[in-house]
Amino acid sequence: MLVEQQVLEYDMYLFHQGNLRHSYQLLGAHVDKQDGKNGVRFVLWAPNAVQVSVVGMFNDWNGNKHPMEKINDNGLWYVFIPDLESGTIYKYEILTRHGHLVLKADPYAFSSELRPNTASVVYPLDQYTWKDKEWMERRSKVNFYESPISIYELHLGSWKNIREEEYYTYRDYADMVIPYVKELGYTHIELLPLTEHPYDRSWGYQATGYYSVTSRYGSPDDFRYFVDQCHQNGIGIILDWVPGHFCKDAHGLRRFDGEALYEYENPSKAEKSMWGTLSFDFSRNEVQSFLISNAIYWLKEYHLDGLRVDAVASMLYLDYCKESGEWEPNEFGGRENLEAVSFIKKLNESIFEEIPDVLMMAEESTSWPLVSAPTYIGGLGFNYKWNMGWMNDMLRYMEMDPIHRKYHHKLITFSLFYAFSENFVLPISHDEVVHGKKSLLNKMPGDYWQKFANLRVFLGYMFTHPGKKLLFMGTEFAQFDEWKDLEDLDWELFDFDSHVQTSNYVKQLHQFYKDSPALWELDHKQDGFEWIDANNYEQSIISFIRNSRSSTDQLVIVCNFTPVVYHQYKVGVPKAGTYKEIFSSDAKHFGGSGQTNGMQLESISTPWHSQDQHIEITVPPLAISVLKRTSLPKEERLHEK
């Protein structure tokens, strides 16, 4: 007992220092046994409370029956209630300094009632038996920087549902989603936030239960089953995680014990009026323990393979989406939130010390430097940064009528000036296909055929451009309507040839991507990319080389962003020999016009595009062609004979 008491005191010390990385094991509700009696142990942090009780149906919601004891001067409260068990519904009744009684859900609850109910649910973490040992061992040996990564962004409830606001379970989705994503060829699924949230249409981005997987789709163990099945089928799982803000619902974190506790006291720092939410107080040690533990909780307890951290820019900048007079500069007169910067670095350092083989991806929309660089050289410490600049430029370009594209040619080439300054993910996420922005297909100009051709060339350029890939669900079969978050995807489009052909195109594009080391092995190094011709704005054609460590894997890529066909088009190539077109988005089985290069192409020993050799090809309309050297030049072959 003395040892246990010392461990408890040390954990409490670390919690108040901001260094308890597993604070969910100390705080919250835990099935336990004390003095020979089974029950539940409750620990809560509420330093400003006058009195705290645990209430629920088990005591008729009567705060007089199970008061908690304050066990230290920093506001930790404790009670053990015998005879309670897993499944118990509870809340904390808190008497504030102002004499008000408030009912709060447990910030550390592992499960919550189904909305609109808001109570917490006792749920043990040790009931599930994992079967993904092979995946976890293999993951620890993978160098993902030099591996293919293609992410399917998924919102479970609107992928497929029974009816509006009535969903399948995590286990049902495992049976439906995993075979589908596996057949498409994605390496990972990224789930929109699954932390418990009161309002469906926040999509999980405004949470109340940071440790509760949403009960909309079942229990915590049901979600574990989903992750486990993904791993057994070779698919990684990334969760969208939101440490930047939380919602103001009365049962949540806002003024938890009657005072600003999890949020800043200063309204200019606390309020995020753009979303109607509150920012966490990143300077507070206990909040750091809460958030860092939360990230580690999802990664360890649910075997997740990574977190995509939402809205990082809103954390980094004090003036994010605020007008003059709505924010206060930092101590040096700048607009950086120095506390948030320190927290983010500490977060990533803690995670990689605990779980070094996971992904930490930042949705960071500004030019903040070294987002994906290690903290020891001044970086924020993420593995990856979303390339929002590439996304904005490319979507702006693709929405133009091709006749105007030559005047905006730099939109498709500018990204290569900075492509290797960070480890980038190229994202086409849910944010780009909702709220009147139209679906990716419907952004494309032209007639029916041209829309699909534009989509194919866009995806082809995306998959051959340096950086890992992310596409939102529905893009893979060219959904016409933008994302409807209360309905499921338009699966009936599979009755139409163009959508089936697009789905087949995405499958084969993935297979080609994974089979081509030149498209990922040197993804984050300048050596992996070389322009052949970046300047043909008149015809809106670009050509470039992708390299791997092996010269035999080298690819020559030509993209035409107009509906014009060009015959005998000269393309500079780096080496003499015979070239073969190994992938074309204009193939008829993808719905293209069939202007492909079926013949072998012998290089011509005349310099072109600053290359020693060139070939002459047919450049198909609104399409990408990928060529590869398949043999030595004729004279070298004859000499060898």
Side-chain angles (χ1 to χ4, degrees), residues 183-204:
E183 184 181 5
L184 285 169
Y186 286 90
T187 64
H188 290 73
I189 290 171
E190 181 177 307
L191 294 158
L192 267 63
L194 290 177
T195 44
E196 194 58 80
H197 52 285
Y199 182 46
D200 286 9
R201 304 204 73 182
S202 80
W203 314 328

Side-chain angles (χ1 to χ4, degrees), residues 136-172:
M136 299 298 280
E137 289 178 350
R138 187 167 66 247
R139 188 184 81 179
S140 67
K141 301 171 185 175
V142 171
N143 180 349
F144 42 75
Y145 297 111
E146 298 180 2
S147 302
I149 294 180
S150 176
I151 304 165
Y152 187 75
E153 190 187 34
L154 173 66
H155 178 255
L156 281 176
S158 58
W159 187 81
K160 189 173 285 187
N161 56 40
I162 299 170
R163 61 185 62 87
E164 187 175 314
E165 296 187 352
E166 186 177 345
Y167 307 115
Y168 294 100
T169 68
Y170 293 111
R171 293 174 184 265
D172 293 330

Side-chain angles (χ1 to χ4, degrees), residues 419-522:
F420 309 103
S421 63
E422 301 274 6
N423 302 324
F424 280 120
V425 172
L426 308 182
I428 300 296
S429 74
H430 65 281
D431 277 331
E432 311 317 315
V433 294
V434 73
H435 296 325
K437 294 180 182 178
K438 299 186 288 188
S439 71
L440 192 57
L441 177 69
N442 229 1
K443 293 177 190 288
M444 304 299 168
D447 59 25
Y448 185 82
W449 185 89
Q450 289 179 347
K451 281 183 177 292
F452 284 90
N454 269 302
L455 178 62
R456 288 193 300 272
V457 69
F458 170 77
L459 293 176
Y461 184 39
M462 176 183 183
F463 272 72
T464 54
H465 187 289
K468 309 309 182 186
K469 327 299 175 187
L470 178 142
L471 286 170
F472 186 56
M473 64 183 195
T475 303
E476 73 276 6
F477 62 86
Q479 181 145 322
F480 256 114
D481 286 350
E482 69 177 17
W483 178 37
K484 304 178 289 285
D485 61 306
L486 295 180
E487 303 175 29
D488 54 13
L489 297 180
D490 295 333
W491 298 107
E492 63 274 12
L493 291 176
F494 275 96
D495 293 336
F496 301 91
D497 288 345
S498 294
H499 299 276
V500 173
Q501 289 165 341
T502 301
S503 177
N504 289 333
Y505 174 69
V506 170
K507 290 177 194 175
Q508 292 197 33
L509 184 59
H510 269 108
Q511 190 61 54
F512 176 69
Y513 169 64
K514 290 194 284 191
D515 290 344
S516 304
L519 297 181
W520 39 262
E521 196 170 64
L522 300 177

